[in-house]
């Protein structure tokens, strides 16, 4: 969608925000859309089902840190994300 824009234009319109855990289901849907879109053209990619994503989200929700789970937006439209999780194995 924004591939035709030059880097300067993108930087002027790009914002980032932390996820809002109070709107967890909406944020999850946004992250799922971004993930599926990013991987869609890769050979052999099979998108996870809504049930699989939902279960993973419920399992990880207790350790999600909104400060390091970010959504990038251009003019309010989500275009990318970054998700960092602590190493649960150390616990």
């Amino acid at each position: 969608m924004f591939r035709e824009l030059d880097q300067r234009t993108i930087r002027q319109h790009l914002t980032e925000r932390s996820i809002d855990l109070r709107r967890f289901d909406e944020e999850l849907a946004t992250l799922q859309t971004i993930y599926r879109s990013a991987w869609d053209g890769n050979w052999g990619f099979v998108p996870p089902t809504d049930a699989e994503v939902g279960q993973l989200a419920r399992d990880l929700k207790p350790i999600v840190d909104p400060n390091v789970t970010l959504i990038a937006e251009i003019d309010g439209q989500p275009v990318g994300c970054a998700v960092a999780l602590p190493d649960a194995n150390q616990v």
Side-chain angles (χ1 to χ4, degrees):
M1 175 177 184
F2 292 98
R3 293 173 196 239
E4 68 276 358
L5 297 177
D6 63 52
Q7 293 298 314
R8 184 173 162 210
T9 303
I10 290 173
R11 276 190 230 107
Q12 290 172 344
H13 297 271
L14 181 69
T15 58
E16 69 177 49
R17 64 175 180 82
S18 299
I19 64 165
D20 183 352
L21 291 177
R22 294 170 298 186
R23 297 178 26 236
F24 188 76
D25 291 336
E26 293 172 49
E27 299 288 46
L28 179 60
T30 298
L31 293 171
Q32 185 175 4
T33 299
I34 292 168
Y35 177 78
R36 286 180 173 167
S37 176
W39 282 90
D40 187 45
N42 290 306
W43 181 86
F45 173 67
V46 177
T49 66
D50 292 341
E52 290 169 328
V53 171
Q55 184 61 54
L56 181 63
R58 283 189 297 278
D59 291 345
L60 295 176
K61 187 176 181 180
I63 63 171
V64 167
D65 180 353
N67 296 316
V68 292
T69 306
L70 307 172
I71 296 177
E73 298 177 334
I74 295 180
D75 294 332
Q77 290 292 105
V79 294
C81 63
V83 178
L85 298 169
D87 184 354
N89 294 313
Q90 290 182 355
V91 177

